[in-house]
Structure formats: structure tokens, C-alpha cells
Amino acid sequence: MQIQHFRPFLLILLFMLMLTGNSFSQVPHQPYSPKYEIRAVWLTTIGGIDWPHSYYEGAQKQELSQILDQLKAAGINTVFMQARVRATTIYQSAFEPWDGCITGTPGRAPHYDPLQLAIEECHKRGMQLHAWVVTIPIGKWKSYGCQQLRKKHPKMVTKIGEEGYMNPEHQETSEYLARICSEIVRYYDVDGIHLDYIRYPETWKMRISRSEGRANITRIVREIHREIKSIKPWVMFSCSPIGKHDDLTRYRSNGWNARTRVCQDAQEWLREGIMDALFPMMYFRDNNFFPFAIDWAEHSYGRYVVPGLGIYFLDPREGRWTLDVVERQLNVIRELGLGHCYFRSKFLTDNHKGVYDLSKRFDKTPALIPPLWWQSSVKPAAPSWLMLEEGSVLSWQGSEQGNVFNVYASTSYPVDITKAENLIVTRIQQNRLIVDASKKWYYAVTVQDRYGQESEAAQLTGTAPAVQEMVANPSIQRASNYVNLPEKPSTLDADFLLIETLQGKTVTSIPFKGTRANISRLPEGVYQWRSLGKKGRHHRLGFFSIKREQAK
């Protein structure tokens, strides 16, 4: 595979690098921070090496919360949580047993769902959670997970040395891994499925051609893609291939590459559209890193490539990297528009040689995860109103379930939502935010849907309350003593309606039947309707205002 059809910018970058001594080790510094960028980290659960470090539920929850707080502060917006470990899981699976990292005993269930907890905690912090699925390796031959899988599917498992592997040449492997991934997508609100080790083991004795081997791995990828996208097409599908795709014209991979060595045709997966993103494990430096990063950028086919950085080499026990190695890599891949991913979480949060501090400086402004534009190009509707109450409570119209909100602030009007420095909160789920009343800012709020598409902004023209402007909106019903009930969708199971203030405080509830309701006992003001479902689910259905004629 060769680098072809360089964009002019990349030719200029190559020229600049060559002027420094025909080396890729010197790079220009770029201080800007883009609005859209994937900033990810791998959070490993095998053996509890990143998490958890205790078998006690309370300690596990507290530790995970602390880790996610640290990652959020470092600018991370995407967390890869290792969900399938070695034919074992950290969630309730119908196919495989629990991994021992949670309770200390393989096969023993905890009293809570770690994957569900991680999803909820990431979403609270405006971060995405992708389920990291280790595919082909299934652990030591006598390990609990491997033994259970061998009993159920003996033809699907192969032994190499003391290790067990799923056989990529067996059709059942494709179907089984697709069932594992579809189970996660069906029952969990994950933002992505991330495959690890989706390749031939390097110790595999190939008895078929490399092209046939690539076809076998690609068949697995296609099957998983088909299954998960049929359930939730907005779920990002990605993998972590070997960091060098293949030999380049001037730079060799030294026998360790994705396409030829282990049959990962990862760039073809992007071209075919069966992968949304790649996170190549680029745990190299200097000329083993930069030309191969450019190759990934040149063969992204409009999808996303996010190099994985080997920050574990900053630990003296693992390698001899200095912090400037990582900083140069970050600068170049940002120039290439590639984003970045750290391996692993603990090396980042432990701040080896100052890498955590570097991350906070480098990602000093928030970033949105770029949209899956090839899945959906439709933008959601913007909030129809935005208001600031008592100078500190910013609230806006809600949206359909699954959508999130981004909040911007600026000293100038209108707020420029193209600038990352104006982002103050990303991907929040609630439709209100406490802001600093001492800062005389203008505000803007956008809606972001499950595909990552962002709406136009609702702009707040000043810091004064805008209730009067909202009430003047003709789409909001005005009433005095009786109000028309909102239309009840045929798919809604709600029996009651809640009448709430704009701050979400419930004033009263009424049966969801008929067409009108008596509101004569409610004081004047602006209210919102919210349905109350049989399973406790809520949906906002609209607004109304009460204004009564004054007695003469």
C-alpha cells in the first residue's frame, strides 16, 4: 500500500519535516483547538489494571467516578470500556460468563451492572461510552471463559500454545461475535462498538493465502456491522488495527503491519463503509509514526481515523519516552485532523512525566464528536425558545428522547457557535443549566442528535429574563381558566399529565383523557406539559401560559 494523491497541505508538511534533517521528529506547534475532534482513551478491565482495583461494589463505583472526573477534566470525550474481556464480560450476557475482575470469581455476578453504570456516568459528564469488545483471543486454554466457550462451540476454538482463540476461518465465529455485539447494542445505550484484536494472531500458521485471510476477517466485520446497524444505526462502529497499515514506498513496516501480516484490511473497511472509524495502535515514534499517520489520513475515505498513542512508554518500566515525543505526535495528528486516543487510562490519570497536564493544556477547550454524516445528514430542530431566569438559570425547550444539548457563551452577540472557545458545556441531557450570574454573557443552545448532527442555535439576546418573548410565541397556547390538553400520540402509554414549572417542579397532575383541563387554581405564569408513563417514563409534550384579565 502506497501513499497516493497527497493533498497540497500534506505535501507542504512533508517538505517542512524534511527540511529539519529528513526526519519526522521536528514538527510545527499548533495552538488552536478544533470544535470537532475525537479525544478518546482505552479503559482496560482485564485483571483490573485500569479499573477496578477492588472487589467491593462501593469502592468500584467511587473509583470509576473519580477516573471519569479526571478524564473529563483532561478533555476526553470518548471512553472505550473493555466490556468483553476474554470470552467473559462485565455485563449480564446470555452467551458468556462474568469476568473475574468484578467479583474476584469468574462466572460470579455482582450486585450491579458495571457496563450500565459506566454508560450512565459517562453520559452525565457529556462523554460517549463505547463498548470495547476483544474478539479473537479468549484467554488461557484452561481459563474459565475459554473452557465455557469450548464446551458450547468446540469447532469454533483453536489452541495455540497455552492460549485459546476463536477461529476466523470458521463461519460460526462471524455469527457468534455478531450476536455478542448485537446483544450489547440491543440492551445498552452505548454510543459505539469498538473491536479489538479483529485479526489473525501473529502466531497463526497460515494455510491459506493472505487475500483469503483478509476475506475471512472482513466477513466478520461485515456481519457485525450488519447486525448492530440494523438495531441502532447511530452506534459508531470502530476497531483498533495494527498501527502501520502496510509498507510505504519510503518507509517499511519491518514485518509488523495490519494488512499483510495479520490480514486486517482496515483501510478497505473504511472505503467499503463497514467501519465508521479506526483507532490504529500507533505505539511508535519518529519515522515509525509520522509517515504512517499521514498514510492513515490519506486513506480515511471521509470516515474518522484517530491514532492511538502509546503513552505507556512514558512509564520507566515500559519504555524511555520523554513527554516531547507525545506532544509532537499530538501536534502533527491535529494538523492532519485525526483526533487522538490514549493507551491506557491509568497511564494518563497517573500523570506519567506530566502527560495528564499536557492533555489538559492541549485540549483546553471542549470538543464535539464529529457526526456520522454518512448515516444521516438531517439536522435536528433548534430549541424554539431560550430564557435566563433570575440571572443564573438558563433553560430551553426540550427535545426528543436521545438528543443532547450543547451550550455556548460569548461576550458578543450573536454567539459564534463555530468557535470551540465558546463551548461551555457539551452533550448535556437536561434542558437547564446553572450559569455564573456575575458574567454578562450572551448564550446559545443547540440540539445534537444520536448521529452527532447539530441544530442551528437558539440565541439569547441578553442576560435579562425572556419570559415575555417566549409567551408571545404563537405556538404556545395562552389560557385563563381552561386549557386544551396536548394531543396524545397513539404510541404513548401515559395515563397522566404532569403540569410543571419551567424549572421542572411539578405543580399538579391530571388524568390524560378528554380535551380540556381546569386550571383556574393555578397562578399566572408559563408551564409545561409532561406525560407520565406506566413505567415512569416522562415525555415533554408542550407549553402553555396563563394570563387572566384584571378586574376593573
Side-chain angles (χ1 to χ4, degrees):
M1 184 68 65
Q2 298 182 357
I3 299 178
Q4 300 174 349
H5 309 301
F6 274 107
R7 293 190 299 271
F9 165 74
L10 295 184
L11 284 173
I12 293 171
L13 178 60
L14 276 172
F15 179 69
M16 291 175 63
L17 294 170
M18 291 175 182
L19 285 179
T20 64
N22 200 29
S23 170
F24 287 83
S25 62
Q26 303 296 321
V27 298
H29 176 66
Q30 291 297 320
Y32 76 93
S33 186
K35 175 181 170 178
Y36 288 100
E37 188 173 63
I38 296 176
R39 303 167 180 174
V41 68
W42 282 289
L43 203 162
T44 305
T45 59
I46 186 170
I49 57 176
D50 282 339
W51 177 86
H53 292 123
S54 168
Y55 296 133
Y56 296 100
E57 178 180 334
Q60 290 179 358
K61 292 180 177 180
Q62 182 178 2
E63 182 189 18
L64 182 61
S65 179
Q66 181 180 357
I67 291 171
L68 296 180
D69 282 343
Q70 289 180 278
L71 296 178
K72 175 67 176 178
I76 298 298
N77 57 22
T78 304
V79 176
F80 295 130
M81 170 69 79
Q82 193 173 32
R84 187 195 191 222
V85 186
R86 292 293 187 273
T88 51
T89 67
I90 64 161
Y91 63 92
Q92 182 65 55
S93 173
F95 304 107
E96 294 185 334
W98 285 89
D99 189 78
C101 70
I102 305 298
T103 63
T105 304
R108 181 180 175 185
H111 297 296
Y112 76 106
D113 190 321
L115 180 58
Q116 181 61 34
L117 174 68
I119 293 169
E120 293 172 357
E121 292 299 316
C122 280
H123 288 177
K124 285 179 185 177
R125 293 164 174 79
M127 298 189 291
Q128 286 197 355
L129 189 287
H130 296 219
W132 166 8
V133 176
V134 181
T135 55
I136 301 300
I138 53 175
K140 296 293 184 183
W141 191 249
K142 294 183 180 181
S143 65
Y144 187 73
C146 184
Q147 286 184 347
Q148 297 302 307
L149 194 58
R150 286 194 284 122
K151 290 178 182 178
K152 297 177 181 178
H153 304 276
K155 296 181 180 180
M156 192 171 61
V157 177
T158 297
K159 184 180 182 183
I160 303 177
E162 296 302 316
E163 301 289 329
Y165 296 90
M166 300 184 73
N167 188 341
E169 298 171 4
H170 201 290
Q171 174 63 32
E172 190 181 6
T173 296
S174 302
E175 298 168 355
Y176 184 84
L177 288 173
R179 287 197 298 270
I180 289 289
C181 294
S182 62
E183 177 184 51
I184 297 172
V185 170
R186 191 179 304 276
Y187 296 111
Y188 293 90
D189 189 22
V190 293
D191 301 289
I193 291 291
H194 178 72
L195 304 185
D196 186 16
Y197 216 109
I198 184 66
R199 61 180 177 86
Y200 274 82
E202 58 270 30
T203 52
W204 190 278
K205 294 181 179 180
M206 296 291 291
R207 295 182 173 85
I208 59 176
S209 67
R210 295 290 170 174
S211 61
E212 290 175 306
R214 288 192 288 271
N216 287 331
I217 300 298
T218 298
R219 181 185 66 247
I220 300 173
V221 173
R222 283 200 194 102
E223 184 69 17
I224 297 173
H225 175 270
R226 184 186 66 81
E227 282 291 318
I228 66 175
K229 292 292 185 176
S230 67
I231 301 169
K232 295 176 182 175
W234 59 81
V235 167
M236 182 183 286
F237 186 36
S238 69
C239 73
S240 52
I242 299 300
K244 301 174 182 179
H245 187 253
D246 216 334
D247 289 336
L248 307 179
T249 302
R250 292 186 56 206
Y251 296 91
R252 313 297 293 177
S253 64
N254 300 317
W256 184 238
N257 58 67
R259 186 174 185 272
T260 300
R261 183 70 175 87
V262 294
C263 300
Q264 283 182 314
D265 210 356
Q267 292 178 353
E268 176 63 20
W269 300 340
L270 294 182
R271 189 198 67 79
E272 186 180 333
I274 56 175
M275 275 280 173
D276 298 315
L278 299 178
F279 294 77
M281 299 179 292
M282 301 191 68
Y283 309 151
F284 318 108
R285 56 181 297 178
D286 301 329
N287 291 355
N288 284 310
F289 181 91
F290 297 110
F292 295 94
I294 292 173
D295 179 52
W296 286 114
E298 281 295 304
H299 295 88
S300 65
Y301 300 99
R303 270 48 172 180
Y304 303 121
V305 175
V306 182
L309 307 183
I311 62 169
Y312 62 94
F313 284 120
L314 295 170
D315 185 335
R317 295 169 296 181
E318 300 286 346
R320 297 182 179 179
W321 282 17
T322 53
L323 188 62
D324 63 303
V325 172
V326 178
E327 187 168 13
R328 287 197 297 269
Q329 293 179 349
L330 286 169
N331 286 329
V332 167
I333 59 181
R334 177 164 285 175
E335 284 279 9
L336 297 174
L338 298 183
H340 45 277
C341 184
Y342 298 111
F343 185 81
R344 320 179 319 263
S345 171
K346 194 172 190 303
F347 292 102
L348 179 63
T349 56
D350 282 355
N351 199 25
H352 282 284
K353 295 184 180 177
V355 67
Y356 182 79
D357 297 330
L358 169 63
S359 181
K360 290 200 295 183
R361 292 195 307 271
F362 191 75
D363 296 328
K364 60 184 178 181
T365 60
L368 301 183
I369 296 160
L372 303 181
W373 56 266
W374 51 91
Q375 296 278 180
S376 173
S377 59
V378 179
K379 290 186 175 182
S384 62
W385 59 264
L386 175 62
M387 61 180 292
L388 188 65
E389 300 176 272
E390 300 177 356
S392 62
V393 181
L394 191 69
S395 60
W396 54 89
Q397 178 202 27
S399 186
E400 63 183 81
Q401 190 174 7
N403 287 353
V404 291
F405 306 99
N406 304 311
V407 182
Y408 301 77
S410 174
T411 56
S412 60
Y413 178 84
V415 180
D416 187 348
I417 67 168
T418 66
K419 294 182 177 180
E421 57 266 31
N422 289 339
L423 270 169
I424 58 172
V425 179
T426 63
R427 296 181 55 82
I428 63 171
Q429 297 169 307
Q430 66 272 22
N431 64 325
R432 58 183 59 84
L433 179 70
I434 305 298
V435 296
D436 188 347
S438 66
K439 296 184 177 181
K440 303 302 180 182
W441 281 345
Y442 298 97
Y443 294 96
V445 176
T446 62
V447 177
Q448 196 169 18
D449 67 14
R450 298 307 299 259
Y451 297 95
Q453 292 290 353
E454 190 181 23
S455 74
E456 299 298 326
Q459 298 272 356
L460 188 65
T461 57
T463 56
V467 177
Q468 293 82 4
E469 295 179 21
M470 185 187 71
V471 173
N473 189 325
S475 66
I476 298 178
Q477 182 184 175
R478 289 179 291 278
S480 56
N481 293 324
Y482 289 88
V483 64
N484 294 329
L485 298 185
E487 183 178 352
K488 184 177 183 179
S490 60
T491 56
L492 196 62
D493 68 349
D495 291 331
F496 291 90
L497 278 170
L498 303 180
I499 298 178
E500 298 180 344
T501 65
L502 294 180
Q503 292 73 42
K505 181 180 179 181
T506 300
V507 177
T508 187
S509 63
I510 61 174
F512 199 171
K513 60 182 180 180
T515 59
R516 301 184 74 199
N518 187 330
I519 54 169
S520 59
R521 295 187 178 183
L522 296 183
E524 290 187 349
V526 182
Y527 299 88
Q528 58 185 345
W529 295 111
R530 190 177 293 275
S531 66
L532 179 59
K534 296 176 181 178
K535 296 182 179 180
R537 295 174 180 170
H538 294 232
H539 297 278
R540 178 178 289 156
L541 300 179
F543 303 86
F544 68 92
S545 66
I546 301 175
K547 180 67 175 178
R548 298 186 176 93
E549 294 294 334
Q550 298 296 323
K552 295 182 179 180

